Structure formats: C-alpha cells, structure tokens
Amino acid sequence: MMQSQQYNSAANANPTQRYMIGVDVGGTKIEAVLLDDAAQVLAIARVPARRGADLVVEDIATLARTVGADHWDDVAQVGIGIPGQVDWKTGQVGHVVNLDIVELDLADQVSAQLGGIPVHVENDVNAAAVGAAAVLHEDEEAIAFLNLGTGLAVGLINNGRIMHGASGSAGEIGHIPIDPNRFECPCGQRGCLETVCSGSAVAQLWPTDDGRPPMPDLIARARAGEPAAQRVLAKVKHALGDAVQIVAQAVDPNTIIVGGGMARTGQPLLDAMSEELSARAANCAFLESLQLPARLKLAPADEPTGAIGAALAARV
C-alpha cells in the first residue's frame, strides 16, 4: 500500500527496484504517475485530453515516457484507468463518449508504442477505488468507492482485489431504476439513481449562473432556509441514501469512500448523506445496527488517485 507521496523525487529512488506507471484518462485531462516498489509517487505529469482513439493512445504513451524517463529500463508495467466499457482481461475499451472512442484495443496499441511493456487497462472507477484506498491506507477486507462524478458507479475491492463481476459491470448502481422521481435516463430507463445524485444530475436540478459547483451552493442555500433548495436537496439526499444502502447491504464493505467531482463539496456532503442515513435508521433497528454514517469517508481531493490506482491495479 502507499506510504507517502514524494513528487518529482525519482533521483532518490533505489536503482535496483522496478517501477510502475499509472495513467488516468479523463474527459478533460490525462494524468500519469511513476511509482516505485513501495508505491511512492516519484513523478507526475498531465496534459489536456484530445479526442479520438489515435490521439488518446499517443498522449498516454507520451506521458508514460515523460514520467518514466529516468528509469525507463526498469519500468515493469503500465496501468491505465479509462471510462466507458472496459474489458480488463483483454485491454479493449469501447464507447468512451467524451473522447470519441467507439472501439479501441487500448492495451495492445499503447504497449506497441512503448516497446512491448505490459499494459493493463481498468475502468476508471475501479482504478480510483484502488488509488483512494492506497492513499488513505485503507486495507480492510472490503472497501467500496462511491464515485459521484458525471455518472454514478461504485468500485469494489475485496481482499485487495477488484470485484469485476461476470461481465465486468459490478458496481454499476447508477442505472438501477428505483428513484421515485422517474426522470428519463440516457440509458433508456426511467428512475435511474444517477439521474438524481450524480454530478451532472445535480447540475441540472440546481444550475448555477456564476460557474460555481452546484452541490456546495445547493447545500448552503438549503441550510439557509431557501425552500427551493431544500426541495432539491431532499431529492438528492434520498437518492444518495439509496445508493449507500444498496452498496452496504449488497457487499457490506468496512469503508465507503466517497469520491468523484461532487466529493469536492467536502464535509458538508458527508453531513448531508449522514443525515439521510440517520433519519432512515431512526425507525429501523436493522439499519441502526449497520452504522452506515460511520463507514463514510471522503476521498483525498488533491491526490492523483486515479493514476495511482491504475498503476497498482496493473500490479495485482
């Protein structure tokens, strides 16, 4: 597990050890890190994301060479975390909408660009789960990473290994159609959880005119007694409570790490989620016994957790 973060300190590393590179591919930026055997971050680099399969492959390879330059001959593997449909066994990805990728043999193409170095590809939420657990020194038997980003999904770790499921879709709770508002979802269903409690959903339910993130503004104005904000926050909190209960009662993790863009709201978000869970538990001895608010923990906001997790996932 990760011990510390030592940025740009590769010159102090042990020359006999092997190194890992992790790359986090997002819709707006691509970020890469170099890790040593102890999972310390030795170098970090990022570039704006460019759309198109060839450009994504080129940018990943360029960043990998950049962070691994001082130790290239000792790089053991490269891990990549990317959104969309990911076959972690073959390294093929598909339907990465924000990057105009329909289908791509990502692992083989990046490996070819890097001279044959082994490349492992993970779904970005799974990679973030591994990285957040490492940065937070969470080594319990079962950990869940609740990603409140553009969509809603969960990364699940059991005994140090990612739970992929039979088709690789384990943790895709955002498209469970149980929300009573019955909003239409791009997936074709109605009432999917991510139509209410994802970052993009909150931005639609509570748009801000000045470019501020909607969730902090929504919570602050609801706390100030604004009726419209209170109504919207009640919807969001209800869906968040459903998401936590689904995760907790399906896989019973020791810790539920809350991450993604909406998690940058910080403690006010955790407080809102805890209020909802406590209110539910007030009338249910079973829920009270689960102590769900105590399991919640914020993901580190300023660490390259996605890239770190991509590197560590390649190792296991």
Side-chain angles (χ1 to χ4, degrees), residues 104-147:
L104 174 63
D105 194 350
L106 184 60
D108 283 350
Q109 290 201 27
V110 171
S111 179
Q113 291 271 340
L114 298 178
I117 290 176
V119 174
H120 177 79
V121 184
E122 277 291 347
N123 173 269
D124 60 338
V125 176
N126 288 337
V130 175
V135 173
L136 293 173
H137 306 288
E138 295 289 342
D139 56 1
E140 291 100 339
E141 179 181 350
I143 299 167
F145 181 87
L146 180 61
N147 187 68

Side-chain angles (χ1 to χ4, degrees), residues 34-299:
L34 176 71
L35 304 186
D36 64 12
D37 282 339
Q40 298 180 83
V41 178
L42 305 178
I44 182 170
R46 64 180 64 87
V47 295
R50 298 186 293 171
R51 301 171 75 96
D54 291 343
L55 293 176
V56 170
V57 170
E58 179 182 320
D59 289 341
I60 292 171
T62 298
L63 279 174
R65 291 193 191 95
T66 298
V67 296
D70 293 337
H71 302 285
W72 190 251
D73 290 341
D74 296 311
V75 172
Q77 67 268 318
V78 173
I80 302 169
I82 189 169
Q85 293 180 336
V86 177
D87 187 329
W88 64 278
K89 295 179 181 178
T90 66
Q92 294 179 317
V93 303
H95 305 292
V96 189
V97 178
N98 290 338
L99 295 174
D100 293 339
I101 295 174
V102 177
E103 188 174 355
L104 174 63
D105 194 350
L106 184 60
D108 283 350
Q109 290 201 27
V110 171
S111 179
Q113 291 271 340
L114 298 178
I117 290 176
V119 174
H120 177 79
V121 184
E122 277 291 347
N123 173 269
D124 60 338
V125 176
N126 288 337
V130 175
V135 173
L136 293 173
H137 306 288
E138 295 289 342
D139 56 1
E140 291 100 339
E141 179 181 350
I143 299 167
F145 181 87
L146 180 61
N147 187 68
L148 304 175
T150 303
L152 168 67
V154 179
L156 301 169
I157 303 173
N158 187 44
N159 290 320
R161 293 189 173 274
I162 296 169
M163 297 174 60
H164 294 97
S167 65
S169 61
E172 293 290 348
I173 68 168
H175 294 292
I176 298 177
I178 61 171
D179 186 77
N181 296 286
R182 305 296 293 168
F183 295 136
E184 187 175 354
C185 182
C187 79
Q189 302 183 99
R190 286 185 174 274
C192 291
L193 280 176
E194 75 170 42
T195 64
V196 180
C197 65
S198 63
S200 58
V202 175
Q204 289 185 326
L205 292 169
W206 191 257
T208 54
D209 298 328
D210 52 9
R212 289 182 297 172
M215 195 64 183
D217 183 69
L218 173 62
I219 293 174
R221 292 169 71 168
R223 299 286 191 239
E226 187 172 324
Q230 290 175 337
R231 287 193 294 272
V232 173
L233 184 59
K235 292 180 182 178
V236 176
K237 286 170 62 176
H238 186 272
L240 287 169
D242 286 346
V244 172
Q245 271 197 249
I246 288 169
V247 174
Q249 292 174 234
V251 296
D252 197 22
N254 304 81
T255 302
I256 300 174
I257 302 172
V258 181
M262 205 158 76
R264 293 184 178 274
T265 303
Q267 190 61 43
L269 173 63
L270 242 56
D271 291 342
M273 295 172 70
S274 296
E275 288 172 5
E276 173 68 21
L277 295 169
S278 296
R280 296 181 182 203
N283 298 312
C284 178
F286 168 67
L287 284 181
E288 175 64 27
S289 72
L290 297 182
Q291 296 293 299
L292 297 183
R295 304 193 197 192
L296 300 179
K297 183 176 290 189
L298 282 171

